[in-house]
Amino acid sequence: MENYRRVILCKYGEVALKGANRPQFEQTMMKDLRRRAKRVGDFEIYAAQSTVYIEPCGEGDDIDEMYREAEHVFGFSGLCVAAVAEKDIGDIRRVAAGYIPASVDGARTFKVEAKRADKRFPMKSPEIAASVGEAILDAAPALTVDLHSPDVVVTVEVRERGAYIHAGQERGAGGLPAGTNGRALLLLSGGIDSPVAGYMMMKRGVTVDAVHFESIPYTSEQARDKVLALASILTDWSGEIRVHVISVTHIQEVLRDTCDNDYFTILLRRFMMALADRTARHTGAQALITGESLGQVASQTMHALSATDIVTSLPVFRPCIGMDKEEIITVSRKIGAFDTSILPYEDCCTVFTPPHPKTRPELSKVEEQEAKVDFAALADEAWATRRLYYIRSGEPPREYAAN
Ligand code: ATP
Ligand code: MG
């Protein structure tokens, strides 16, 4: 067991630029960390100088597990585990010599940078850096100093409560603190794109609810479970999520039997938008989110998007709109959704999909086709099938009576 304490330092990203709102953002990030810390162990969490400190209170508290939690907290741009020394150069040298060689595995060169936030400390920054560099060289003879392009930069920060020593920081989750930017409703399919879209809006501080449209018996129970599993993955970031599930089976059958087949997809998507709009208003969401990417498929051309947008007056956010599939997949893997997204269950969109969907649907033609069915009655009937699931991070989905 090493004879120094380790703490997690979380550095602010964009939040550092906030003016009057900053304390509120800070409080939200700390609350998010505290909620997560409760599950991991006993940690003291406090903020000072644009940094949040997470200190384990007992020997058994798992700092690595807590670090993984902190990586999911929006608002922090950088994270690191630092070793803590007394504000005494002898102790700083002792701790650096113990901690740094063990934590820079594979590096051959280093340099030390010192920051002296506590100006009462008797040595100036360059002197601290030189002295600590010497102590590390003594402890790890395989390392050499390179001031211009070192493999690692060792940082010594002399702050209010002690001296913190670390070997560089990793990227934090970035973005804005969870829940500080309104509520929106994600149209969540079982695909790759919509979970990514949900994550991207969560990252901007949006509280995200989800709605999923299913088509049992044409789609399976497994397809719904897959969507709930994707929603669960999003709770790694948000802590919780509500998923509304609405059946569009009858709508699809009526469209298939009544309307020109080439318009099937666009008509179904207009129903989905209208039902999402209704769900959003019911839950107090101020915007809709979809995973569409311009031109990816026939229903994602500008013509098609404007023909679906027109059924809602809410803003529709499409964070994937300018991304190509590769870029979307990179994010999907990063958030741990990809392996679930590619499980092979049918989505309701792929049931009855016509061979030649219209890529440039004219609105008047779409409306002409739609007039053949009783839109309001079908939408009301679908709305009545709505079920509500609530998922808290780390727990299985629970179904609630949809009111
Ligand atoms: P995804 O990978 O998100 O499924 P996609 O590339 O398969 O997207 P589409 O099937 O055209 O594209 O769907 C476009 C968007 O419409 C989806 O990103 C999602 O937001 C929404 N959507 C599609 N199907 C459903 C569904 N069954 N339930 C809820 N939303 C859906
Ligand atoms: Mg899809």
Side-chain angles (χ1 to χ4, degrees):
M1 195 68 204
E2 64 267 355
N3 51 356
Y4 48 81
R5 281 184 300 131
R6 289 191 303 156
V7 306
I8 301 171
L9 305 187
C10 313
K11 311 263 174 146
Y12 297 171
E14 265 175 73
V15 172
L17 307 172
K18 297 281 172 198
N21 290 334
R22 183 170 148 165
Q24 183 208 333
F25 281 91
E26 273 179 357
Q27 285 310 315
T28 308
M29 287 149 76
M30 306 256 279
K31 206 170 132 199
D32 195 345
L33 283 170
R34 290 203 173 99
R35 170 180 67 76
R36 292 165 189 270
K38 250 196 241 153
R39 291 207 307 256
V40 181
D42 192 8
F43 293 87
E44 191 194 353
I45 297 174
Y46 56 92
Q49 297 164 321
S50 290
T51 302
V52 171
Y53 295 73
I54 308 176
E55 285 201 33
C57 297
E59 291 280 311
D61 296 315
D62 188 340
I63 199 163
D64 298 321
E65 177 67 18
M66 189 59 220
Y67 187 86
R68 281 190 288 279
E69 288 293 335
E71 283 181 308
H72 289 87
V73 177
F74 293 123
F76 294 115
S77 64
L79 300 176
C80 66
V81 175
V84 189
E86 302 291 327
K87 285 198 281 185
D88 163 86
I89 191 65
D91 201 50
I92 296 173
R93 285 169 55 102
R94 175 188 71 82
V95 171
Y99 179 60
I100 295 302
S103 61
V104 298
D105 211 18
R108 287 183 308 164
T109 60
F110 75 102
K111 78 168 176 183
V112 180
E113 279 180 0
K115 294 180 194 158
R116 197 171 50 125
D118 178 0
K119 300 292 182 207
R120 288 168 309 178
F121 192 76
M123 291 166 79
K124 294 214 166 74
S125 299
E127 297 171 78
I128 303 171
S131 176
V132 172
E134 207 179 72
I136 294 171
L137 283 173
D138 284 348
L143 285 174
T144 54
V145 172
D146 180 344
L147 296 179
H148 302 293
S149 56
D151 294 338
V152 290
V153 177
V154 173
T155 305
V156 180
E157 302 181 44
V158 183
R159 291 176 165 240
E160 202 55 42
R161 289 213 196 178
Y164 299 82
I165 301 145
H166 60 86
Q169 61 187 30
E170 291 172 13
R171 281 177 69 89
L176 292 172
T180 56
N181 235 344
R183 178 180 288 272
L185 180 72
L186 169 67
L187 283 80
L188 180 62
S189 71
I192 296 168
D193 308 334
S194 45
V196 168
Y199 157 78
M200 288 173 76
M201 296 316 297
M202 285 177 173
K203 187 173 173 187
R204 294 314 296 164
V206 175
T207 301
V208 174
D209 296 323
V211 62
H212 173 67
F213 300 102
E214 65 178 10
S215 193
I216 288 174
Y218 305 105
T219 60
S220 59
E221 294 274 347
Q222 284 110 305
R224 182 195 304 165
D225 290 344
K226 172 184 170 180
V227 168
L228 293 174
L230 288 170
S232 280
I233 290 167
L234 291 175
T235 67
D236 287 352
W237 308 89
S238 63
E240 58 176 16
I241 194 166
R242 286 175 180 74
V243 185
H244 303 259
V245 177
I246 295 176
S247 169
V248 288
T249 307
H250 191 220
I251 291 174
Q252 291 192 290
E253 288 170 341
V254 171
L255 291 176
R256 178 194 58 190
D257 297 340
T258 318
C259 303
D260 179 344
N261 202 236
D262 292 351
Y263 289 87
F264 178 86
T265 307
I266 191 91
L267 293 172
L268 175 60
R269 299 199 60 77
R270 281 163 64 94
F271 270 103
M272 286 186 177
M273 259 336 194
L275 288 163
D277 179 283
R278 188 158 175 179
T279 311
R281 289 176 200 284
H282 185 77
T283 59
Q286 302 144 286
L288 303 178
I289 305 167
T290 76
E292 286 152 324
S293 159
L294 192 65
Q296 194 186 79
V297 289
S299 60
Q300 299 180 22
T301 62
M302 275 197 208
H303 277 78
L305 296 179
S306 55
T308 49
D309 269 11
I310 207 164
V311 303
T312 175
S313 58
L314 294 172
V316 182
F317 296 142
R318 298 184 167 92
C320 301
I321 199 75
M323 296 167 78
D324 60 37
K325 201 74 192 184
E326 283 302 312
E327 291 169 319
I328 297 172
I329 288 174
T330 301
V331 181
S332 173
R333 286 190 196 281
K334 179 184 129 165
I335 65 173
F338 187 71
D339 292 341
T340 305
S341 284
I342 59 174
L343 292 174
Y345 303 114
E346 289 278 290
D347 182 62
C348 73
C349 278
T350 50
V351 183
F352 316 139
T353 299
H356 307 293
K358 287 264 179 264
T359 54
R360 291 167 159 253
E362 248 177 70
L363 190 58
S364 60
K365 295 263 172 53
V366 173
E367 286 170 348
E368 205 175 282
Q369 289 296 319
E370 200 170 83
K372 294 182 178 180
V373 304
D374 188 341
F375 192 96
L378 283 170
D380 281 350
E381 186 198 325
W383 175 254
T385 68
R386 187 173 59 97
R387 306 169 74 149
L388 174 61
Y389 295 85
Y390 172 76
I391 309 174
R392 194 194 293 265
S393 177
E395 294 177 14
R398 275 183 287 165
E399 188 174 349
Y400 282 82
N403 54 16

